Amino acid sequence: PLLVVRGAGGQVERVAQVCWKPTGVAWGSPDAPYSQAYFRTSADEGQTWSESAKVPQWLGVNEVSMIVAGNGDWVATCRIDYPKRFARFQFDHYGGLGISISKDRGKTWSDVKRLYEWGRHQPSMVLLPDKRILMTYVVRLGYPNNAEGFPQFGVEAMISSDNGQTWDFGHRYVLATWAGTLK
């Protein structure tokens, strides 16, 4: 997803985007990481783009979503490559979820702070009117199987009241759950 940054008058000031590329390590290999995220921007509403820049802190990161926090920091939610101990399963549900923050409008990024080691990813964020950040994400692993033995999945949400620095794990919201059809 694109990050659209608007100026004081509401005009589009900048557009930012993250993509990722394979590192050359085979997916499912314990020699991970297999992904590397890159960052680029446009100052003319996407007509032209800067060169994609490798973000060193985003080695092992893919599927990034960004938002401008209430204090102006850029917050990136990152899907993290699966932990090496799960590589043998070759199952992408083992990807994790982390946060990286830029205090200089995308020039540099913090190390990724891991929120979930595995099973939760594909995040999306919105800035609430009171400046808290609401993040939703998919749960692919971590719930117990249902009574019939089928895996369960879900969508959860949680809040950050400090511009993405910390997240309220004690008050996660389960927005939806459903059972899989294969055991």
Side-chain angles (χ1 to χ4, degrees):
L2 298 173
L3 171 64
V4 178
V5 180
R6 296 187 181 278
Q11 79 285 1
V12 175
E13 183 179 291
R14 196 170 185 195
V15 179
Q17 181 183 43
V18 176
C19 65
W20 72 275
K21 298 176 186 175
T23 62
V25 172
W27 186 82
S29 167
D31 299 328
Y34 68 90
S35 61
Q36 169 68 60
Y38 293 76
F39 179 82
R40 69 181 187 160
T41 61
S42 172
D44 58 9
E45 297 187 17
Q47 298 295 318
T48 60
W49 291 89
S50 66
E51 290 294 319
S52 293
K54 182 189 294 187
V55 178
Q57 295 81 3
W58 292 354
L59 178 62
V61 164
N62 56 72
E63 296 181 9
V64 175
S65 177
M66 297 178 290
I67 193 170
V68 177
N71 68 349
D73 288 354
W74 290 13
V75 179
T77 53
C78 308
R79 182 176 182 168
I80 304 169
D81 289 351
Y82 52 78
K84 290 181 182 183
R85 70 183 184 280
F86 297 132
R88 69 186 184 279
F89 298 123
Q90 295 188 348
F91 193 49
D92 82 334
H93 288 20
Y94 282 101
L97 179 62
I99 298 290
S100 181
I101 296 175
S102 175
K103 296 190 170 293
D104 56 12
R105 300 172 53 93
K107 291 183 184 98
T108 60
W109 292 89
S110 70
D111 289 338
V112 176
K113 178 182 177 183
R114 187 180 304 271
L115 301 179
Y116 289 101
E117 185 181 28
W118 53 271
R120 286 164 169 80
H121 38 260
Q122 298 170 324
S124 183
M125 295 179 289
V126 65
L127 187 64
L128 300 173
D130 65 2
K131 305 298 185 204
R132 293 180 302 156
I133 300 172
L134 171 68
M135 175 177 52
T136 61
Y137 50 90
V138 173
V139 179
R140 283 187 165 169
L141 290 174
Y143 291 161
N145 288 351
N146 68 12
E148 292 80 32
F150 291 105
Q152 295 189 90
F153 306 97
V155 176
E156 293 180 350
M158 68 178 157
I159 298 279
S160 173
S161 298
D162 58 4
N163 305 299
Q165 294 292 326
T166 62
W167 295 85
D168 190 354
F169 288 91
H171 295 95
R172 288 179 312 200
Y173 301 91
V174 177
L175 304 177
T177 60
W178 63 95
T181 57
L182 300 174
K183 291 185 184 179

